[in-house]
Amino acid sequence: MKIKRYPADVQFSYCIRERANYRCEYCHNDYRQRPQGLDCSHLFSRGIWALRFTASNAFAHCMSCHMKLGNNPVIFTQWATQKLGEGQIGLLLEKSVCPDRAKAARKANKSGEIARHYKQQNEYLKLQRTLYPTKYLEFIDYE
C-alpha cells in the first residue's frame, strides 16, 4: 500500500534535498541538474508519524540508492548509524514509539502547520545555499 503524500511531505522533501545540495548522500552523485532523480529517503518508514518529519530520519538518495537501501534495511541501518551515530539512532527509536508525538504530527499536518514550517525552512536553506554553495546545511525540525 502506497503512503499518501501531503503538502508537508513535499516541503520536507525539498528541505532534505537542499540540505544535501542535491547530492545523493550514499553514492554522492550530483543531481543539481536533474533534481527529480533524487528522493527523500526515510530510515524509519514515513508511515511512522512520530518520525515522518524528523530531519535525522531522512536522507537525500538517488532512486537507485533509495531502492537498494530500502530493500536492505540492515545495510541502511548500518550506514545511517555510521553517519548519525548510535546515540541519534537511539533517539529516533525512542521517538518512534511515542503516541503523543504521532498524534501531534497528524494534527499539525491536517492544519497545514508542518507544510508552512518546512516551506519557511526551505526558503532559509535556499538563502544559505547562496552563501555556502557546497556545504551540507542544517535546518530546524518541526516539533
PDB file of all heavy atoms in Angstrom, residues 61-91:
ATOM      1  N   HIS A  61      18.607  10.524  -1.285  1.00  0.00           N
ATOM      2  CA  HIS A  61      19.166   9.373  -2.003  1.00  0.00           C
ATOM      3  C   HIS A  61      18.638   9.352  -3.431  1.00  0.00           C
ATOM      4  O   HIS A  61      17.449   9.644  -3.658  1.00  0.00           O
ATOM      5  CB  HIS A  61      18.758   8.052  -1.321  1.00  0.00           C
ATOM      6  CG  HIS A  61      19.433   7.825  -0.011  1.00  0.00           C
ATOM      7  ND1 HIS A  61      18.817   7.211   1.040  1.00  0.00           N
ATOM      8  CD2 HIS A  61      20.687   8.123   0.418  1.00  0.00           C
ATOM      9  CE1 HIS A  61      19.646   7.126   2.068  1.00  0.00           C
ATOM     10  NE2 HIS A  61      20.789   7.684   1.707  1.00  0.00           N
ATOM     11  N   CYS A  62      19.507   9.014  -4.356  1.00  0.00           N
ATOM     12  CA  CYS A  62      19.052   8.839  -5.723  1.00  0.00           C
ATOM     13  C   CYS A  62      18.101   7.638  -5.746  1.00  0.00           C
ATOM     14  O   CYS A  62      18.066   6.834  -4.809  1.00  0.00           O
ATOM     15  CB  CYS A  62      20.229   8.644  -6.680  1.00  0.00           C
ATOM     16  SG  CYS A  62      21.150   7.108  -6.433  1.00  0.00           S
ATOM     17  N   MET A  63      17.341   7.515  -6.806  1.00  0.00           N
ATOM     18  CA  MET A  63      16.352   6.433  -6.882  1.00  0.00           C
ATOM     19  C   MET A  63      16.998   5.064  -6.720  1.00  0.00           C
ATOM     20  O   MET A  63      16.460   4.186  -6.052  1.00  0.00           O
ATOM     21  CB  MET A  63      15.583   6.521  -8.192  1.00  0.00           C
ATOM     22  CG  MET A  63      14.664   7.694  -8.275  1.00  0.00           C
ATOM     23  SD  MET A  63      13.835   7.731  -9.868  1.00  0.00           S
ATOM     24  CE  MET A  63      13.136   9.364  -9.827  1.00  0.00           C
ATOM     25  N   SER A  64      18.150   4.892  -7.305  1.00  0.00           N
ATOM     26  CA  SER A  64      18.847   3.605  -7.232  1.00  0.00           C
ATOM     27  C   SER A  64      19.273   3.279  -5.800  1.00  0.00           C
ATOM     28  O   SER A  64      19.041   2.168  -5.301  1.00  0.00           O
ATOM     29  CB  SER A  64      20.064   3.626  -8.163  1.00  0.00           C
ATOM     30  OG  SER A  64      20.797   2.449  -8.044  1.00  0.00           O
ATOM     31  N   CYS A  65      19.892   4.232  -5.132  1.00  0.00           N
ATOM     32  CA  CYS A  65      20.325   4.009  -3.745  1.00  0.00           C
ATOM     33  C   CYS A  65      19.130   3.873  -2.813  1.00  0.00           C
ATOM     34  O   CYS A  65      19.156   3.078  -1.867  1.00  0.00           O
ATOM     35  CB  CYS A  65      21.259   5.124  -3.291  1.00  0.00           C
ATOM     36  SG  CYS A  65      22.873   5.082  -4.118  1.00  0.00           S
ATOM     37  N   HIS A  66      18.070   4.646  -3.075  1.00  0.00           N
ATOM     38  CA  HIS A  66      16.856   4.557  -2.267  1.00  0.00           C
ATOM     39  C   HIS A  66      16.284   3.132  -2.343  1.00  0.00           C
ATOM     40  O   HIS A  66      15.924   2.544  -1.312  1.00  0.00           O
ATOM     41  CB  HIS A  66      15.837   5.575  -2.754  1.00  0.00           C
ATOM     42  CG  HIS A  66      14.658   5.770  -1.862  1.00  0.00           C
ATOM     43  ND1 HIS A  66      13.650   6.624  -2.180  1.00  0.00           N
ATOM     44  CD2 HIS A  66      14.302   5.230  -0.669  1.00  0.00           C
ATOM     45  CE1 HIS A  66      12.728   6.622  -1.228  1.00  0.00           C
ATOM     46  NE2 HIS A  66      13.105   5.766  -0.298  1.00  0.00           N
ATOM     47  N   MET A  67      16.233   2.583  -3.539  1.00  0.00           N
ATOM     48  CA  MET A  67      15.740   1.205  -3.699  1.00  0.00           C
ATOM     49  C   MET A  67      16.672   0.208  -3.019  1.00  0.00           C
ATOM     50  O   MET A  67      16.229  -0.695  -2.321  1.00  0.00           O
ATOM     51  CB  MET A  67      15.598   0.856  -5.178  1.00  0.00           C
ATOM     52  CG  MET A  67      14.296   1.325  -5.778  1.00  0.00           C
ATOM     53  SD  MET A  67      14.090   0.707  -7.446  1.00  0.00           S
ATOM     54  CE  MET A  67      13.507  -0.943  -7.123  1.00  0.00           C
ATOM     55  N   LYS A  68      17.970   0.377  -3.240  1.00  0.00           N
ATOM     56  CA  LYS A  68      18.947  -0.538  -2.648  1.00  0.00           C
ATOM     57  C   LYS A  68      18.839  -0.538  -1.124  1.00  0.00           C
ATOM     58  O   LYS A  68      18.761  -1.603  -0.497  1.00  0.00           O
ATOM     59  CB  LYS A  68      20.362  -0.137  -3.063  1.00  0.00           C
ATOM     60  CG  LYS A  68      21.455  -0.951  -2.394  1.00  0.00           C
ATOM     61  CD  LYS A  68      22.835  -0.444  -2.747  1.00  0.00           C
ATOM     62  CE  LYS A  68      23.882  -1.210  -1.980  1.00  0.00           C
ATOM     63  NZ  LYS A  68      25.230  -0.791  -2.299  1.00  0.00           N
ATOM     64  N   LEU A  69      18.825   0.645  -0.529  1.00  0.00           N
ATOM     65  CA  LEU A  69      18.780   0.740   0.926  1.00  0.00           C
ATOM     66  C   LEU A  69      17.405   0.350   1.477  1.00  0.00           C
ATOM     67  O   LEU A  69      17.311  -0.290   2.519  1.00  0.00           O
ATOM     68  CB  LEU A  69      19.165   2.144   1.375  1.00  0.00           C
ATOM     69  CG  LEU A  69      20.611   2.529   1.072  1.00  0.00           C
ATOM     70  CD1 LEU A  69      20.827   4.017   1.281  1.00  0.00           C
ATOM     71  CD2 LEU A  69      21.582   1.718   1.896  1.00  0.00           C
ATOM     72  N   GLY A  70      16.354   0.706   0.755  1.00  0.00           N
ATOM     73  CA  GLY A  70      15.012   0.340   1.183  1.00  0.00           C
ATOM     74  C   GLY A  70      14.795  -1.165   1.181  1.00  0.00           C
ATOM     75  O   GLY A  70      14.051  -1.696   2.003  1.00  0.00           O
ATOM     76  N   ASN A  71      15.452  -1.840   0.265  1.00  0.00           N
ATOM     77  CA  ASN A  71      15.333  -3.300   0.177  1.00  0.00           C
ATOM     78  C   ASN A  71      16.328  -4.029   1.074  1.00  0.00           C
ATOM     79  O   ASN A  71      16.288  -5.252   1.160  1.00  0.00           O
ATOM     80  CB  ASN A  71      15.509  -3.764  -1.272  1.00  0.00           C
ATOM     81  CG  ASN A  71      14.340  -3.360  -2.144  1.00  0.00           C
ATOM     82  OD1 ASN A  71      13.212  -3.281  -1.668  1.00  0.00           O
ATOM     83  ND2 ASN A  71      14.600  -3.085  -3.401  1.00  0.00           N
ATOM     84  N   ASN A  72      17.228  -3.287   1.700  1.00  0.00           N
ATOM     85  CA  ASN A  72      18.248  -3.869   2.577  1.00  0.00           C
ATOM     86  C   ASN A  72      18.315  -3.077   3.882  1.00  0.00           C
ATOM     87  O   ASN A  72      19.251  -2.320   4.107  1.00  0.00           O
ATOM     88  CB  ASN A  72      19.623  -3.851   1.882  1.00  0.00           C
ATOM     89  CG  ASN A  72      19.634  -4.690   0.631  1.00  0.00           C
ATOM     90  OD1 ASN A  72      19.690  -5.902   0.704  1.00  0.00           O
ATOM     91  ND2 ASN A  72      19.554  -4.040  -0.526  1.00  0.00           N
ATOM     92  N   PRO A  73      17.317  -3.250   4.764  1.00  0.00           N
ATOM     93  CA  PRO A  73      17.262  -2.429   5.975  1.00  0.00           C
ATOM     94  C   PRO A  73      18.476  -2.576   6.890  1.00  0.00           C
ATOM     95  O   PRO A  73      18.827  -1.628   7.593  1.00  0.00           O
ATOM     96  CB  PRO A  73      15.977  -2.869   6.671  1.00  0.00           C
ATOM     97  CG  PRO A  73      15.548  -4.116   6.002  1.00  0.00           C
ATOM     98  CD  PRO A  73      16.182  -4.150   4.655  1.00  0.00           C
ATOM     99  N   VAL A  74      19.144  -3.719   6.860  1.00  0.00           N
ATOM    100  CA  VAL A  74      20.340  -3.888   7.704  1.00  0.00           C
ATOM    101  C   VAL A  74      21.453  -2.975   7.192  1.00  0.00           C
ATOM    102  O   VAL A  74      22.093  -2.258   7.976  1.00  0.00           O
ATOM    103  CB  VAL A  74      20.799  -5.363   7.746  1.00  0.00           C
ATOM    104  CG1 VAL A  74      22.142  -5.497   8.438  1.00  0.00           C
ATOM    105  CG2 VAL A  74      19.750  -6.229   8.428  1.00  0.00           C
ATOM    106  N   ILE A  75      21.650  -2.949   5.881  1.00  0.00           N
ATOM    107  CA  ILE A  75      22.671  -2.074   5.282  1.00  0.00           C
ATOM    108  C   ILE A  75      22.307  -0.608   5.526  1.00  0.00           C
ATOM    109  O   ILE A  75      23.164   0.204   5.883  1.00  0.00           O
ATOM    110  CB  ILE A  75      22.836  -2.365   3.778  1.00  0.00           C
ATOM    111  CG1 ILE A  75      23.424  -3.770   3.582  1.00  0.00           C
ATOM    112  CG2 ILE A  75      23.714  -1.314   3.107  1.00  0.00           C
ATOM    113  CD1 ILE A  75      23.438  -4.232   2.143  1.00  0.00           C
ATOM    114  N   PHE A  76      21.024  -0.271   5.354  1.00  0.00           N
ATOM    115  CA  PHE A  76      20.571   1.108   5.570  1.00  0.00           C
ATOM    116  C   PHE A  76      20.839   1.518   7.021  1.00  0.00           C
ATOM    117  O   PHE A  76      21.390   2.593   7.291  1.00  0.00           O
ATOM    118  CB  PHE A  76      19.087   1.229   5.242  1.00  0.00           C
ATOM    119  CG  PHE A  76      18.568   2.640   5.051  1.00  0.00           C
ATOM    120  CD1 PHE A  76      17.296   2.838   4.548  1.00  0.00           C
ATOM    121  CD2 PHE A  76      19.322   3.763   5.360  1.00  0.00           C
ATOM    122  CE1 PHE A  76      16.785   4.118   4.358  1.00  0.00           C
ATOM    123  CE2 PHE A  76      18.826   5.057   5.170  1.00  0.00           C
ATOM    124  CZ  PHE A  76      17.549   5.216   4.669  1.00  0.00           C
ATOM    125  N   THR A  77      20.492   0.657   7.961  1.00  0.00           N
ATOM    126  CA  THR A  77      20.691   0.974   9.381  1.00  0.00           C
ATOM    127  C   THR A  77      22.172   1.124   9.714  1.00  0.00           C
ATOM    128  O   THR A  77      22.557   2.047  10.442  1.00  0.00           O
ATOM    129  CB  THR A  77      20.040  -0.105  10.266  1.00  0.00           C
ATOM    130  OG1 THR A  77      18.643  -0.175   9.945  1.00  0.00           O
ATOM    131  CG2 THR A  77      20.208   0.207  11.743  1.00  0.00           C
ATOM    132  N   GLN A  78      23.012   0.245   9.167  1.00  0.00           N
ATOM    133  CA  GLN A  78      24.459   0.351   9.403  1.00  0.00           C
ATOM    134  C   GLN A  78      24.990   1.672   8.853  1.00  0.00           C
ATOM    135  O   GLN A  78      25.768   2.366   9.509  1.00  0.00           O
ATOM    136  CB  GLN A  78      25.197  -0.827   8.771  1.00  0.00           C
ATOM    137  CG  GLN A  78      24.977  -2.130   9.488  1.00  0.00           C
ATOM    138  CD  GLN A  78      25.564  -3.324   8.736  1.00  0.00           C
ATOM    139  OE1 GLN A  78      25.805  -3.283   7.527  1.00  0.00           O
ATOM    140  NE2 GLN A  78      25.797  -4.409   9.461  1.00  0.00           N
ATOM    141  N   TRP A  79      24.583   2.011   7.643  1.00  0.00           N
ATOM    142  CA  TRP A  79      25.034   3.255   7.018  1.00  0.00           C
ATOM    143  C   TRP A  79      24.563   4.468   7.828  1.00  0.00           C
ATOM    144  O   TRP A  79      25.351   5.378   8.122  1.00  0.00           O
ATOM    145  CB  TRP A  79      24.507   3.333   5.576  1.00  0.00           C
ATOM    146  CG  TRP A  79      24.835   4.623   4.901  1.00  0.00           C
ATOM    147  CD1 TRP A  79      26.010   4.965   4.293  1.00  0.00           C
ATOM    148  CD2 TRP A  79      23.980   5.771   4.806  1.00  0.00           C
ATOM    149  NE1 TRP A  79      25.927   6.250   3.816  1.00  0.00           N
ATOM    150  CE2 TRP A  79      24.703   6.765   4.116  1.00  0.00           C
ATOM    151  CE3 TRP A  79      22.689   6.045   5.232  1.00  0.00           C
ATOM    152  CZ2 TRP A  79      24.167   8.019   3.833  1.00  0.00           C
ATOM    153  CZ3 TRP A  79      22.152   7.301   4.957  1.00  0.00           C
ATOM    154  CH2 TRP A  79      22.886   8.261   4.263  1.00  0.00           C
ATOM    155  N   ALA A  80      23.279   4.473   8.209  1.00  0.00           N
ATOM    156  CA  ALA A  80      22.725   5.601   8.968  1.00  0.00           C
ATOM    157  C   ALA A  80      23.394   5.723  10.332  1.00  0.00           C
ATOM    158  O   ALA A  80      23.659   6.835  10.803  1.00  0.00           O
ATOM    159  CB  ALA A  80      21.212   5.444   9.115  1.00  0.00           C
ATOM    160  N   THR A  81      23.695   4.590  10.958  1.00  0.00           N
ATOM    161  CA  THR A  81      24.361   4.612  12.265  1.00  0.00           C
ATOM    162  C   THR A  81      25.760   5.203  12.140  1.00  0.00           C
ATOM    163  O   THR A  81      26.190   5.994  12.979  1.00  0.00           O
ATOM    164  CB  THR A  81      24.422   3.192  12.875  1.00  0.00           C
ATOM    165  OG1 THR A  81      23.086   2.699  12.998  1.00  0.00           O
ATOM    166  CG2 THR A  81      25.089   3.199  14.238  1.00  0.00           C
ATOM    167  N   GLN A  82      26.452   4.852  11.070  1.00  0.00           N
ATOM    168  CA  GLN A  82      27.786   5.412  10.834  1.00  0.00           C
ATOM    169  C   GLN A  82      27.691   6.920  10.590  1.00  0.00           C
ATOM    170  O   GLN A  82      28.521   7.685  11.060  1.00  0.00           O
ATOM    171  CB  GLN A  82      28.432   4.708   9.651  1.00  0.00           C
ATOM    172  CG  GLN A  82      29.854   5.125   9.405  1.00  0.00           C
ATOM    173  CD  GLN A  82      30.492   4.328   8.273  1.00  0.00           C
ATOM    174  OE1 GLN A  82      29.826   3.787   7.401  1.00  0.00           O
ATOM    175  NE2 GLN A  82      31.800   4.263   8.285  1.00  0.00           N
ATOM    176  N   LYS A  83      26.666   7.352   9.873  1.00  0.00           N
ATOM    177  CA  LYS A  83      26.501   8.771   9.544  1.00  0.00           C
ATOM    178  C   LYS A  83      26.038   9.592  10.752  1.00  0.00           C
ATOM    179  O   LYS A  83      26.550  10.676  11.002  1.00  0.00           O
ATOM    180  CB  LYS A  83      25.496   8.918   8.390  1.00  0.00           C
ATOM    181  CG  LYS A  83      25.322  10.340   7.903  1.00  0.00           C
ATOM    182  CD  LYS A  83      24.521  10.358   6.624  1.00  0.00           C
ATOM    183  CE  LYS A  83      24.308  11.748   6.093  1.00  0.00           C
ATOM    184  NZ  LYS A  83      25.486  12.411   5.583  1.00  0.00           N
ATOM    185  N   LEU A  84      25.073   9.065  11.511  1.00  0.00           N
ATOM    186  CA  LEU A  84      24.457   9.821  12.602  1.00  0.00           C
ATOM    187  C   LEU A  84      25.030   9.529  13.978  1.00  0.00           C
ATOM    188  O   LEU A  84      24.973  10.376  14.858  1.00  0.00           O
ATOM    189  CB  LEU A  84      22.946   9.528  12.657  1.00  0.00           C
ATOM    190  CG  LEU A  84      22.114   9.863  11.435  1.00  0.00           C
ATOM    191  CD1 LEU A  84      20.694   9.348  11.610  1.00  0.00           C
ATOM    192  CD2 LEU A  84      22.123  11.356  11.161  1.00  0.00           C
ATOM    193  N   GLY A  85      25.495   8.302  14.169  1.00  0.00           N
ATOM    194  CA  GLY A  85      25.958   7.861  15.477  1.00  0.00           C
ATOM    195  C   GLY A  85      24.874   7.055  16.179  1.00  0.00           C
ATOM    196  O   GLY A  85      23.683   7.237  15.937  1.00  0.00           O
ATOM    197  N   GLU A  86      25.306   6.171  17.061  1.00  0.00           N
ATOM    198  CA  GLU A  86      24.368   5.301  17.769  1.00  0.00           C
ATOM    199  C   GLU A  86      23.411   6.081  18.657  1.00  0.00           C
ATOM    200  O   GLU A  86      22.244   5.706  18.819  1.00  0.00           O
ATOM    201  CB  GLU A  86      25.130   4.262  18.592  1.00  0.00           C
ATOM    202  CG  GLU A  86      25.776   3.207  17.732  1.00  0.00           C
ATOM    203  CD  GLU A  86      26.483   2.137  18.546  1.00  0.00           C
ATOM    204  OE1 GLU A  86      26.137   1.937  19.729  1.00  0.00           O
ATOM    205  OE2 GLU A  86      27.376   1.491  17.974  1.00  0.00           O
ATOM    206  N   GLY A  87      23.872   7.174  19.246  1.00  0.00           N
ATOM    207  CA  GLY A  87      23.018   7.986  20.113  1.00  0.00           C
ATOM    208  C   GLY A  87      21.822   8.548  19.365  1.00  0.00           C
ATOM    209  O   GLY A  87      20.690   8.530  19.865  1.00  0.00           O
ATOM    210  N   GLN A  88      22.052   9.065  18.157  1.00  0.00           N
ATOM    211  CA  GLN A  88      20.968   9.636  17.355  1.00  0.00           C
ATOM    212  C   GLN A  88      19.983   8.543  16.919  1.00  0.00           C
ATOM    213  O   GLN A  88      18.768   8.760  16.910  1.00  0.00           O
ATOM    214  CB  GLN A  88      21.539  10.358  16.136  1.00  0.00           C
ATOM    215  CG  GLN A  88      20.533  11.154  15.362  1.00  0.00           C
ATOM    216  CD  GLN A  88      19.907  12.275  16.151  1.00  0.00           C
ATOM    217  OE1 GLN A  88      18.743  12.203  16.516  1.00  0.00           O
ATOM    218  NE2 GLN A  88      20.660  13.313  16.436  1.00  0.00           N
ATOM    219  N   ILE A  89      20.495   7.375  16.585  1.00  0.00           N
ATOM    220  CA  ILE A  89      19.617   6.257  16.218  1.00  0.00           C
ATOM    221  C   ILE A  89      18.762   5.872  17.432  1.00  0.00           C
ATOM    222  O   ILE A  89      17.556   5.618  17.308  1.00  0.00           O
ATOM    223  CB  ILE A  89      20.425   5.042  15.700  1.00  0.00           C
ATOM    224  CG1 ILE A  89      21.210   5.415  14.430  1.00  0.00           C
ATOM    225  CG2 ILE A  89      19.513   3.842  15.456  1.00  0.00           C
ATOM    226  CD1 ILE A  89      20.381   5.786  13.223  1.00  0.00           C
ATOM    227  N   GLY A  90      19.361   5.864  18.614  1.00  0.00           N
ATOM    228  CA  GLY A  90      18.624   5.574  19.841  1.00  0.00           C
ATOM    229  C   GLY A  90      17.510   6.578  20.086  1.00  0.00           C
ATOM    230  O   GLY A  90      16.395   6.205  20.480  1.00  0.00           O
ATOM    231  N   LEU A  91      17.791   7.860  19.839  1.00  0.00           N
ATOM    232  CA  LEU A  91      16.762   8.896  19.989  1.00  0.00           C
ATOM    233  C   LEU A  91      15.618   8.688  19.007  1.00  0.00           C
ATOM    234  O   LEU A  91      14.445   8.854  19.363  1.00  0.00           O
ATOM    235  CB  LEU A  91      17.364  10.290  19.798  1.00  0.00           C
ATOM    236  CG  LEU A  91      18.247  10.817  20.914  1.00  0.00           C
ATOM    237  CD1 LEU A  91      18.916  12.127  20.496  1.00  0.00           C
ATOM    238  CD2 LEU A  91      17.441  11.024  22.178  1.00  0.00           C
TER     239      LEU A  91
END
